[in-house]
């Protein structure tokens, strides 16, 4: 039995237990959210014949050979969570790692709690709950042994999947106790004892990713690999201009093609209910469905959307920068008056473009609509709970009428937090009931119908006093929004550093209209804000006659906690300074230097960047070589990171940080702006949106961990943002040229 298949029996067991047996654990999260687990995460059920596996809790199955199968509840997107979360459970369950088998659970937030891959939240959200789930199961096994032996549970210990009675000179494997343990009372999760850190034997050890051997062998794991008996295939024709709808369809030529099963108009979720903005062609092979698109004739109602273009945004932004902001995000003192009295002022304009996610696995989803009005999905989703709600709303069914199997995700970076591919596949499946249908986008579909990282423009002004201290700061931020508010992923924090620590500061914003759907890109908002803020602050430091690390130290001031706009989340200036000092020591940073001579006409430079992102503090130093006056190569990256008191899986932490650095290089030097004309994106393939090649990756990304006395936090995002400004600042050091827009291009 799998953990997924066992859930109905476990649910029945839950209904047999009295509700007053429930134990609630509320874990406070940054941002004010509360994650609640009830007794289901420690619910035992004792069904099945002797010798069969026993589902001890919602996450833990004890097998007859004394191996333990642990359910990994969160979507696996390459961030290693499928290995990390079971490590937490296994540690407190007190089994050896070689006893552990891992299975991906289905999506069921009522049973498993929040299941999402985004915002580097898996570690802070689950650090205690997953450990408590393992500790509760261990306590139940100990209680079962104590009952059999007639001793006090406190007299027993555990090790490597065994309960040990040292006084009695005996032990018993978990497998022999599991059935009786399943009937033991559920411990109070809020008070169940947890191991001290010095007793960890799994947490803190480098563990290979559970799927790595399968990936190397090419074992089908991803959504695109889904294959079911009798499966059909669907290709999509979508309105090029976002927000446009179908005016008329002529599908006669398509329906006459052998192998074509259906033509289904669908709604992506971007247009009002009752309208459609896409057409799915369903056939017995994807190639037939894709080729049939050439014969489909669709007239679009998209006149209102054709006004939007990249060139138009740039002109509007230029005009807006010269005017006052529409909205105030932060105000302290009188920035204009302070600037007028400053000894020295620095002004600069920075910008960055719309970006696509360009996941290697294009969007896909397989769906089966059954005769009884139920839906089954196989989806590479980062956010299955949101997908369930959106699909249910689109189809008019109850969320409970849906089963979502989470496949491994072949690249997400925030793209698969959106659920359009699930919503579309569900509608297609309803149009051909009784047969599974895989909806698959090609590369052009994927680049032209993304949820894009929004572009932005900034006009900065800073004032310095006679001693070079930062006394005034202004930023007029131009981005996209509606009704005086930013659209998704276009936000800027009202506590963006250094505004809260500058005596006179003003952050203002102006919002432009767009028809492009926007979404979160890895290290959302931070990937852009780190570049513009740390790039500009490097200019301020240069004007003050110091380097950026020193300006940061002076501006950060004494160690203290500064509030952020997210409830419960603070910015600790001491933690920031610690990573700055650590990376400068590791890289032997000696202050601001000019260019160094390289081979031939090459010149070398070194740059620094810092950013606080998704609860993580990272400072980074980058060495670059500029050849031929235009070609930039990153030679080495040093990073120092503070993600709390514990690095759960050091091997994966290293890989995540290195991967973040590589993503940062791509955003800084390689990814091209998403271009829009007449309301539509023009990108066709990777020729228009190139990815970073292996020869552009530095041979060394050296990582220093700065441990602090704070709960562990995640790593998917925070190592990325500082790389981008560090590269820009290194180019400045090498060439004397200040690049203020992305991608960084010397011409």
């Amino acid at each position: 039995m799998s953990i997924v298949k066992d859930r109905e029996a476990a649910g029945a067991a839950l209904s047999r237990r009295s509700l007053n047996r429930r134990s609630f654990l509320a874990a406070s999260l940054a941002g004010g959210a509360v994650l609640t687990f009830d007794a289901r995460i420690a619910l035992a059920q004792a069904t099945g014949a002797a010798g069969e596996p026993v589902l001890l809790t919602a996450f833990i199955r004890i097998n007859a050979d004394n191996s333990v199968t642990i359910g990994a509840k969160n979507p696996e997107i390459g961030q290693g969570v499928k290995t990390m979360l079971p490590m937490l459970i296994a540690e407190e369950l007190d089994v050896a790692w070689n006893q552990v088998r891992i299975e991906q659970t289905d999506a069921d937030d009522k049973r498993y709690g929040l299941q999402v891959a985004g915002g580097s939240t898996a570690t802070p959200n689950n650090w205690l709950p997953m450990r408590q789930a393992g500790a509760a199961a261990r306590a139940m096994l100990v209680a079962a042994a104590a009952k059999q032996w007639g001793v006090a549970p406190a007299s027993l210990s555990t090790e490597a999947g065994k309960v040990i009675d040292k006084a009695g000179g005996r032990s018993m494997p978990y497998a022999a106790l599991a059935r009786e343990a399943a009937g033991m009372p559920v411990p109070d999760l809020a008070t169940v004892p947890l191991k001290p850190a010095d007793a960890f034997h799994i947490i803190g050890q480098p563990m290979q990713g559970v799927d790595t051997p399968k990936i190397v062998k090419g074992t089908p794991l991803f959504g695109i690999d889904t294959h079911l008996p009798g499966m059909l295939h669907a290709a999509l024709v979508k309105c090029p201009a976002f927000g446009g709808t179908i005016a008329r369809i002529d599908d006669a030529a398509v329906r006459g093609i052998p192998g074509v099963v259906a033509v289904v108009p669908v709604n992506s979720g971007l247009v009002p209910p009752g309208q459609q903005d896409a057409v799915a062609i369903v056939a017995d092979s994807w190639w037939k469905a894709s080729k049939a698109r050439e014969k489909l004739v669709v007239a679009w109602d998209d006149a209102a959307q054709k006004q939007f273009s990249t060139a138009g945004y740039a002109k509007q932004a230029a005009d807006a920068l010269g005017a006052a902001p529409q909205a105030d995000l932060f105000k302290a003192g009188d920035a204009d008056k302070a600037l007028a009295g400053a000894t020295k002022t620095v002004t600069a304009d920075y910008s960055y473009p719309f970006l696509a996610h360009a996941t290697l696995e294009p969007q896909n989803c397989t769906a089966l609509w059954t005769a009884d009005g139920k839906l089954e999905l196989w989806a590479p989703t980062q956010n299955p709970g949101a997908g369930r709600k959106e699909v249910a709303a689109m189809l008019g069914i109850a969320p409970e009428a849906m089963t979502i199997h989470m496949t491994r995700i072949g690249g997400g970076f925030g793209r698969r937090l959106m659920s359009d591919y699930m919503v579309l596949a569900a509608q297609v499946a309803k149009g051909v009931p009784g047969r599974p249908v895989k909806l698959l986008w090609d590369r052009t579909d994927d680049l032209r119908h993304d949820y894009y990282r929004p572009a932005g423009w900034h006009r900065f002004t800073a004032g310095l006093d006679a001693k070079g201290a930062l006394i005034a700061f202004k930023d007029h931020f131009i981005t996209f929004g509606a009704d005086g508010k930013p659209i998704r992923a276009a936000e800027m924090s009202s506590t963006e550093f250094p505004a809260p620590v500058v005596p006179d500061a003003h952050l203002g914003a102006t919002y432009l209209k767009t028809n492009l759907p926007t979404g979160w890109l890895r290290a959302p908002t931070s990937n852009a804000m780190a570049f513009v803020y740390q790039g500009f602050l490097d200019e301020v430091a240069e004007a003050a006659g110091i380097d950026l690390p020193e300006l940061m130290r002076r501006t950060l001031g004494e160690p203290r906690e500064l509030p952020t706009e997210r409830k419960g989340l603070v910015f600790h200036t001491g933690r920031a300074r610690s990573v700055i000092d650590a990376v400068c020591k590791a890289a032997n940073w000696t202050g601001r230097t000019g260019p160094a001579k390289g081979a031939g006409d090459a010149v070398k430079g070194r740059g620094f960047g810092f950013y606080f992102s998704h609860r993580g503090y990272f400072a980074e130093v980058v060495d670059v070589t500029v050849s031929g006056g235009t070609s930039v190569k990153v030679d080495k990256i040093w990073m120092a990171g503070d993600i709390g008191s514990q690095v759960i899986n050091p091997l994966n932490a290293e890989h995540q940080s290195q991967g973040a650095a590589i993503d940062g290089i791509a955003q800084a030097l390689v990814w091209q702006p998403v271009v829009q004309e007449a309301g539509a994106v023009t990108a066709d393939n990777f020729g228009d949106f190139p990815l970073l090649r292996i020869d552009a990756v530095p041979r060394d990304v050296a990582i220093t961990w700065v441990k602090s006395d704070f709960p562990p936090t995640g790593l998917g995002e925070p190592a990325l943002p500082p790389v981008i400004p560090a590269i820009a600042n290194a180019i400045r050091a090498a060439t004397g040229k200040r690049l203020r827009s992305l991608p960084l291009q010397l011409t």
Side-chain angles (χ1 to χ4, degrees):
M1 291 190 296
S2 73
I3 286 176
V4 170
K5 291 178 181 176
D6 287 344
R7 74 182 160 190
E8 290 185 6
L14 174 65
S15 67
R16 291 193 295 269
R17 289 179 179 266
S18 171
L19 286 179
N20 62 17
R21 296 279 302 281
R22 292 191 177 190
S23 168
F24 287 88
L25 167 68
S28 245
L29 305 179
V34 173
L35 181 64
T36 302
F37 284 82
D38 65 24
R40 276 174 291 200
I41 74 165
L43 170 67
Q45 71 97 17
T47 60
E52 287 189 358
V54 175
L55 184 67
L56 188 61
T57 79
F59 294 103
I60 300 167
R61 186 173 69 236
I62 308 295
N63 303 312
D65 63 357
N66 210 39
S67 64
V68 178
T69 301
I70 298 179
K73 76 182 187 74
N74 275 19
E76 176 55 69
I77 196 175
Q79 82 282 42
V81 73
K82 190 174 178 181
T83 304
M84 183 272 287
L85 292 182
M87 286 175 67
L88 301 178
I89 294 173
E91 180 68 74
E92 297 292 348
L93 183 60
D94 213 7
V95 294
W97 187 244
N98 61 13
Q99 292 176 261
V100 174
R101 312 291 180 263
I102 299 175
E103 290 183 1
Q104 179 73 63
T105 72
D106 279 349
D108 187 348
D109 55 9
K110 291 182 179 178
R111 180 166 174 75
Y112 301 113
L114 181 66
Q115 295 173 279
V116 65
S120 296
T121 56
T123 296
N125 285 4
N126 294 288
W127 168 246
L128 285 178
M130 293 296 95
R131 292 174 62 202
Q132 287 165 322
R138 175 187 170 277
M140 293 159 69
L141 289 159
V142 169
K147 181 180 179 183
Q148 285 195 26
W149 291 332
V151 298
S155 70
L156 304 178
S157 61
T158 57
E159 182 182 349
K162 296 180 294 184
V163 178
I164 301 169
D165 178 11
K166 290 183 179 179
R170 54 189 168 180
S171 67
M172 193 177 299
Y174 286 174
L177 295 163
R179 196 161 307 281
E180 186 162 359
M184 292 290 109
V186 179
D188 184 347
L189 299 179
T191 60
V192 66
L194 299 177
K195 288 184 180 181
D198 60 7
F200 291 160
H201 67 279
I202 293 176
I203 293 173
Q205 298 302 309
M207 301 295 184
Q208 175 182 273
V210 62
D211 286 339
T212 300
K214 296 177 182 178
I215 293 170
V216 172
K217 293 177 183 178
T219 303
L221 294 170
F222 301 92
I224 200 171
D225 297 326
T226 302
H227 183 79
L228 301 169
M231 189 171 73
L232 297 170
H233 302 263
L236 203 64
V237 177
K238 198 168 183 298
C239 183
F242 292 93
T245 56
I246 297 171
R248 180 177 56 83
I249 300 175
D250 182 353
D251 61 2
V254 173
R255 290 183 179 276
I257 297 174
V260 170
V261 175
V263 178
V264 185
V266 288
N267 183 326
S268 69
L270 294 175
V271 297
Q275 300 185 45
Q276 290 82 37
D277 58 348
V279 182
I281 299 174
V282 184
D284 56 17
S285 77
W286 186 83
W287 181 250
K288 288 180 182 178
S290 180
K291 292 297 289 182
R293 293 186 289 185
E294 299 171 3
K295 296 185 179 295
L296 184 70
V297 179
V298 185
W300 304 105
D301 182 1
D302 59 357
Q305 284 70 42
K306 290 191 173 181
Q307 63 176 302
F308 298 104
S309 70
T310 299
Y313 300 143
K315 184 180 184 307
Q316 293 174 59
D319 292 341
L321 283 173
Q326 293 176 347
D328 293 331
L329 304 181
F330 176 87
K331 260 192 170 184
D334 188 334
D336 289 326
K337 182 178 179 181
L339 286 167
T343 302
K344 186 180 291 186
T345 60
V346 184
T347 299
D349 292 349
Y350 279 73
S351 65
Y352 45 86
F354 281 101
L355 290 178
H357 292 83
T359 61
L360 281 181
E361 179 193 24
Q363 310 317 303
N364 67 88
C365 183
T366 302
L368 172 63
W369 178 266
T370 59
D372 57 357
K374 293 185 178 180
L375 181 69
E376 196 166 3
L377 295 171
W378 291 259
T381 171
Q382 291 182 241
N383 196 356
R388 183 187 299 275
K389 292 177 182 178
E390 292 177 33
V391 170
M394 182 64 71
L395 298 189
I397 62 174
E400 296 76 22
M402 198 182 314
T403 299
I404 301 175
H405 307 291
M406 295 187 293
T407 67
R408 190 177 174 100
I409 302 168
F413 318 112
R415 172 62 180 92
R416 287 178 162 101
L417 288 168
M418 314 311 298
S419 306
D420 51 323
Y421 49 93
M422 297 173 67
V423 171
L424 289 163
Q427 294 171 78
V428 177
K430 190 175 182 180
V432 285
R435 295 187 67 177
V437 185
K438 181 195 290 183
L439 174 66
L440 174 63
W441 299 16
D442 64 20
R443 189 64 61 198
T444 302
D445 297 332
D446 213 35
L447 289 172
R448 292 184 179 178
H449 298 288
D450 201 343
Y451 282 74
Y452 303 95
R453 194 285 301 274
W457 298 260
H458 295 254
R459 174 160 291 173
F460 291 109
T461 308
L464 299 169
D465 66 12
K467 295 181 180 180
L470 183 59
I471 59 168
F473 188 86
K474 287 182 67 174
D475 177 19
H476 183 183
F477 174 37
I478 314 295
T479 189
F480 296 88
D483 302 320
K485 296 180 180 179
I487 55 178
R488 180 174 44 229
E491 306 89 353
M492 181 176 77
S493 171
S494 62
T495 55
E496 194 71 38
F497 187 85
V501 297
V502 177
D504 296 278
H506 181 205
L507 306 181
T510 296
Y511 304 112
L512 310 179
K513 292 182 179 179
T514 182
N515 71 322
L516 287 183
T518 55
W520 300 282
L521 177 66
R522 187 177 187 179
T525 71
S526 303
N527 54 49
M529 297 303 161
F531 164 61
V532 298
Y533 272 80
Q534 288 286 291
F536 179 65
L537 287 177
D538 193 56
E539 297 194 50
V540 175
E542 187 174 341
I546 56 178
D547 63 11
L548 180 53
E550 183 58 24
L551 177 70
M552 291 295 298
R553 293 185 188 101
R554 295 181 186 183
T555 308
L556 286 164
E558 72 279 5
R560 64 200 188 282
E561 291 184 344
L562 301 176
T564 71
E565 64 181 14
R566 296 182 61 187
K567 185 179 179 181
L569 180 65
V570 297
F571 173 63
H572 197 295
T573 62
R575 297 178 74 181
R577 180 160 184 162
S578 292
V579 296
I580 292 171
D581 291 344
V583 81
C584 288
K585 179 179 179 181
N588 192 27
W589 178 274
T590 57
R592 183 179 299 280
T593 59
K597 189 74 173 68
D601 65 352
V603 289
K604 294 178 176 290
R606 171 171 279 197
F608 169 89
F610 163 83
Y611 207 71
F612 170 60
S613 169
H614 297 79
R615 306 179 183 88
Y617 298 77
F618 273 82
E620 304 178 19
V621 172
V622 173
D623 282 355
V624 304
T625 296
V626 180
S627 304
T630 59
S631 176
V632 179
K633 176 73 167 66
V634 175
D635 299 320
K636 184 170 180 175
I637 298 172
W638 290 263
M639 59 172 63
D642 177 355
I643 54 169
S645 61
Q646 185 68 58
V647 178
I648 297 169
N649 185 348
L651 178 64
N652 188 64
E654 180 181 358
H655 293 167
Q656 278 295 292
S657 300
Q658 291 168 337
I662 291 168
D663 259 6
I665 296 170
Q667 290 187 30
L669 297 173
V670 178
W671 289 3
Q672 295 301 301
V674 168
V675 176
Q676 185 182 16
E677 295 176 0
V681 170
T682 62
D684 186 62
N685 211 315
F686 284 145
D688 303 304
F689 197 86
L691 302 185
L692 191 73
R693 299 302 181 101
I694 195 168
D695 61 354
V697 175
R699 289 185 176 274
D700 192 8
V701 179
I703 305 165
T704 299
W705 299 113
V706 179
K707 298 288 185 69
S708 60
D709 191 22
F710 293 87
T713 56
L715 257 178
E717 270 89 5
L720 186 156
V723 177
I724 304 174
I727 294 172
N729 296 338
I731 293 172
R732 168 67 174 180
T735 67
K737 296 180 180 179
R738 180 69 67 178
L739 302 181
R740 300 185 177 99
S741 62
L742 294 177
L744 302 169
Q745 295 179 328
L746 287 161
T747 55

